[in-house]
Amino acid sequence: MYSKTDEHYMKKAIEIAENASAIGEVPIGAIIVKDDEVIAAAHNLRETEQRAVAHAELLAIDRACKELGTWRLSGCTLYVTLEPCPMCAGASVLSRLDRVVYGASDPKGGCAGTLMNLLDEPRFNHQPVVTSGVLEEECGIMLSHFFKELRKRKKK
């Protein structure tokens, strides 16, 4: 189960995701919180920048590292609207995030419990605590609506 604090920060991640949708990006938003303060936020920029690694989580992790002046994000929580893919789950482990909190599950690429759980792999030297399903319905509806509209535009 999750807390009101998790809901609060997921709502902020949803706001960031809406900014992505407004520019034609898949609406995925991520924020990183340390000591009850948002220290980094990002949304997908993969289409805009034509870079495979421009995922919301990676961009937020990079910004948080710059903000804190370290690659170790211990004491930090990542909030993201969609379950992290293998690349983003790996970055979460390698950056030593304490927690990863996500909204909607990703049956095609989710690596925080759906397809596999890279975040709970005991062979790694770090395992962030995972909280799933925070405002899952809102996150899922936002993504479904985006792809429905995208399909409509492609048919025209």
Side-chain angles (χ1 to χ4, degrees), residues 137-148:
E137 187 174 350
E138 292 91 325
C139 293
I141 288 169
M142 179 175 52
L143 286 158
S144 295
H145 177 74
F146 174 83
F147 285 111
K148 183 178 177 183

Side-chain angles (χ1 to χ4, degrees), residues 1-22:
M1 199 61 205
Y2 54 86
S3 68
K4 289 288 185 192
T5 301
D6 287 342
E7 281 187 14
H8 169 77
Y9 286 120
M10 188 59 72
K11 285 178 183 175
K12 291 187 178 300
I14 289 169
E15 289 173 18
I16 300 295
E18 289 168 348
N19 294 336
S21 185

Side-chain angles (χ1 to χ4, degrees), residues 31-138:
I31 64 168
I32 296 180
V33 175
K34 183 176 176 78
D35 298 328
D36 207 29
E37 179 184 341
V38 176
I39 61 165
H43 58 70
N44 269 18
L45 287 173
R46 196 165 60 166
E47 297 300 324
T48 302
E49 295 183 0
Q50 289 298 298
R51 292 188 315 124
V53 298
H55 286 206
E57 301 98 308
L58 291 183
L59 297 171
I61 287 169
D62 192 47
R63 290 173 186 169
C65 290
K66 287 176 182 164
E67 176 69 22
L68 297 176
T70 181
W71 62 267
R72 287 186 168 103
L73 298 180
S74 53
C76 295
T77 299
L78 167 69
Y79 290 88
V80 61
T81 55
L82 182 66
E83 181 179 2
C85 71
M87 176 175 63
C88 295
S92 297
V93 169
L94 294 173
S95 64
R96 309 294 196 271
L97 286 163
D98 282 3
R99 290 180 71 215
V100 173
V101 179
Y102 70 86
S105 295
D106 183 357
K108 294 181 179 178
C111 286
T114 299
L115 285 180
M116 66 180 68
N117 194 344
L118 290 176
L119 299 177
D120 194 31
E121 173 52 59
R123 292 173 291 181
F124 291 135
N125 65 350
H126 178 75
Q127 294 85 33
V129 173
V130 176
T131 302
S132 61
V134 178
L135 301 181
E136 182 173 18
E137 187 174 350
E138 292 91 325

Side-chain angles (χ1 to χ4, degrees), residues 147-156:
F147 285 111
K148 183 178 177 183
E149 291 301 312
L150 185 64
R151 285 189 296 276
K152 277 185 193 175
R153 285 195 303 272
K154 285 186 176 182
K155 281 184 180 179
K156 290 181 181 180

